[in-house]
């Protein structure tokens, strides 16, 4: 975060050492813990699962996401060296906050996948991008991905290029990855790879209904079609999980909301957000 800005964004020892609770061990929570511990604070991460990483865990599954694998391993090593206390399998509650009485509290509870209101969305064949990345055995032969953003395109490439599945991306907008902060070179590379692996791409198209073995779609000129689908994968973005912030803020005056819990963006934004907050506590 402080590359080429080593003076303005330097990390200095805290004037007053504090007890800091961090709810969430995803990328933002880990970065906040790293910086706060470097400054001399006593830091504890509470992670409701049994793994650190949050969405970085599934994001690092494809072979072409080795950078994410290395980043996750680096954070795990840094936190161990800084002796950050990590409580796995423990979700933060009002009672826990009241019992621990922290000087500062950081809400880094991340985000959850958005689920569009489409008839048939509750079929067992419908999975989120997170679910299918964490268990590729759930993937059938014919897969329809709803959402042509970065996540949808990467999951399509992983399924079609590495798992040899027949994949179709359905994107309501006129182009892939037209929202978000995806660098042009990355977009072009992904488009080329999707074409190379014969991933079917339907832009300007919406899914109107999901069946047990197919989806109904409609394009902008109202042409309708049915596509075979053993699985439907949802990749329509993420929504912030920030309910804990409202509780914590009433109990701990110095409470901060960071990362996806504040606004679902990307890894770089989460790291920068956490870095800025933690170096100011």
């Amino acid at each position: 975060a402080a590359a080429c800005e080593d003076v303005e964004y330097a990390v200095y020892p805290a004037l007053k050492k504090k007890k800091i609770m961090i709810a969430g061990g995803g990328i933002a929570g880990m970065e906040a813990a790293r910086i706060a511990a470097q400054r001399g604070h006593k830091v504890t991460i509470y992670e409701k699962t049994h793994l650190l990483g949050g969405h970085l865990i599934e994001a690092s599954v494809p072979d072409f996401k080795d950078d994410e694998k290395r980043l996750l391993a680096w954070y795990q090593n840094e936190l161990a060296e800084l002796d950050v206390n990590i409580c796995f399998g423990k979700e933060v509650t009002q009672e826990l906050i009241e019992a621990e009485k922290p000087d500062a509290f950081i809400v880094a509870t991340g985000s959850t996948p958005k689920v569009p209101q489409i008839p048939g969305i509750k079929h067992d064949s419908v999975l989120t991008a997170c679910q299918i990345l964490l268990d590729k055995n759930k993937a059938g032969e014919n897969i329809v991905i709803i959402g042509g953003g970065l996540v949808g395109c990467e999951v399509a490439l992983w399924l079609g290029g590495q798992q040899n599945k027949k994949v179709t991306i359905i994107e309501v907008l006129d182009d892939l990855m037209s929202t978000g902060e995806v660098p042009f070179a990355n977009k072009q590379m992904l488009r080329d790879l999707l074409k190379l692996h014969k991933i079917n791409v339907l832009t300007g198209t919406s899914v109107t209904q999901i069946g047990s073995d197919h989806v109904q779609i409609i394009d902008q000129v109202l042409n309708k079609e049915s596509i075979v689908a053993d699985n439907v994968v949802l990749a329509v973005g993420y929504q912030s999980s920030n309910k804990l912030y409202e509780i914590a803020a009433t109990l701990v005056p110095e409470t901060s909301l960071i990362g996806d819990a504040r606004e679902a963006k990307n890894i770089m934004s989460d790291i920068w957000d956490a870095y800025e907050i933690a170096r100011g506590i």
Side-chain angles (χ1 to χ4, degrees):
C4 302
E5 301 284 355
D6 53 328
V7 175
E8 185 177 357
Y9 293 105
V11 174
Y12 297 105
L15 296 177
K16 179 183 178 183
K17 306 298 170 63
K18 297 180 179 180
K19 178 181 180 180
I20 300 177
M21 287 180 69
I22 299 177
I27 189 73
M30 291 190 294
E31 173 66 3
R34 183 181 76 89
I35 296 302
Q38 277 188 2
R39 298 184 62 228
H41 294 303
K42 181 182 178 182
V43 183
T44 300
I45 294 176
Y46 293 86
E47 169 54 47
K48 66 180 180 180
T49 71
H50 294 278
L51 292 170
L52 289 174
H55 289 310
L56 198 61
I57 296 171
E58 66 262 14
S60 65
V61 168
D63 291 347
F64 52 85
K65 301 299 287 291
D66 282 345
D67 286 347
E68 277 81 354
K69 290 186 182 73
R70 288 193 291 270
L71 180 62
L72 181 53
W74 181 81
Y75 268 113
Q76 291 169 340
N77 183 69
E78 286 290 298
L79 296 181
E81 289 192 351
L82 289 166
D83 201 27
V84 171
N85 186 33
I86 302 170
C87 293
F88 288 112
K90 199 169 187 67
E91 189 166 2
V92 176
T93 62
Q94 178 175 336
E95 292 72 24
L96 180 62
I97 299 172
E98 290 173 339
E100 291 296 328
K101 296 180 174 58
D103 301 306
F105 190 89
I106 298 175
V107 179
T109 42
S111 59
T112 56
K114 291 181 179 178
V115 178
Q117 297 303 305
I118 302 172
I121 198 73
K122 293 186 178 180
H123 275 298
D124 291 340
S125 60
V126 180
L127 304 167
T128 65
C130 299
Q131 289 172 324
I132 206 160
L133 282 165
L134 293 174
D135 188 357
K136 65 181 180 182
N137 294 323
K138 291 182 177 179
E141 183 63 23
N142 299 284
I143 300 174
V144 168
I145 296 177
I146 302 178
L150 179 62
V151 172
C153 290
E154 288 185 339
V155 172
L157 179 60
W158 174 67
L159 289 168
Q162 297 184 346
Q163 312 300 321
N164 296 315
K165 306 296 184 181
K166 296 177 182 177
V167 182
T168 298
I169 298 174
I170 307 294
E171 170 54 52
V172 67
L173 300 178
D174 293 329
D175 198 5
L176 297 176
M177 296 171 283
S178 56
T179 60
E181 302 173 357
V182 185
F184 176 78
N186 295 57
K187 286 184 184 180
Q188 194 57 50
M189 178 187 68
L190 269 172
R191 290 190 185 110
D192 291 343
L193 287 170
L194 292 173
K195 187 179 296 184
L196 174 67
H197 291 287
K198 297 181 173 56
I199 307 299
N200 187 27
V201 176
L202 300 176
T203 55
T205 304
S206 302
V207 174
T208 58
Q209 187 169 0
I210 300 171
S212 59
D213 59 359
H214 70 284
V215 298
Q216 296 286 342
I217 63 172
I218 188 169
D219 65 17
Q220 293 173 336
V221 293
L222 306 184
N223 291 318
K224 298 179 181 179
E225 186 181 349
S226 178
I227 300 178
V228 174
D230 299 312
N231 291 104
V232 174
V233 176
L234 305 178
V236 293
Y238 296 85
Q239 57 190 6
S240 297
S241 299
N242 53 25
K243 290 182 180 179
L244 182 61
Y245 178 74
E246 299 173 8
I247 297 171
T250 65
L251 301 172
V252 184
E254 193 170 359
T255 293
S256 303
L257 182 65
I258 65 170
D260 275 12
R262 186 173 65 82
E263 183 179 1
K265 284 190 174 183
N266 54 39
I267 291 173
M268 183 178 71
S269 296
D270 286 350
I271 292 174
W272 180 254
D273 195 19
Y275 181 93
E276 281 288 86
I277 291 297
R279 78 185 189 93
I281 294 176

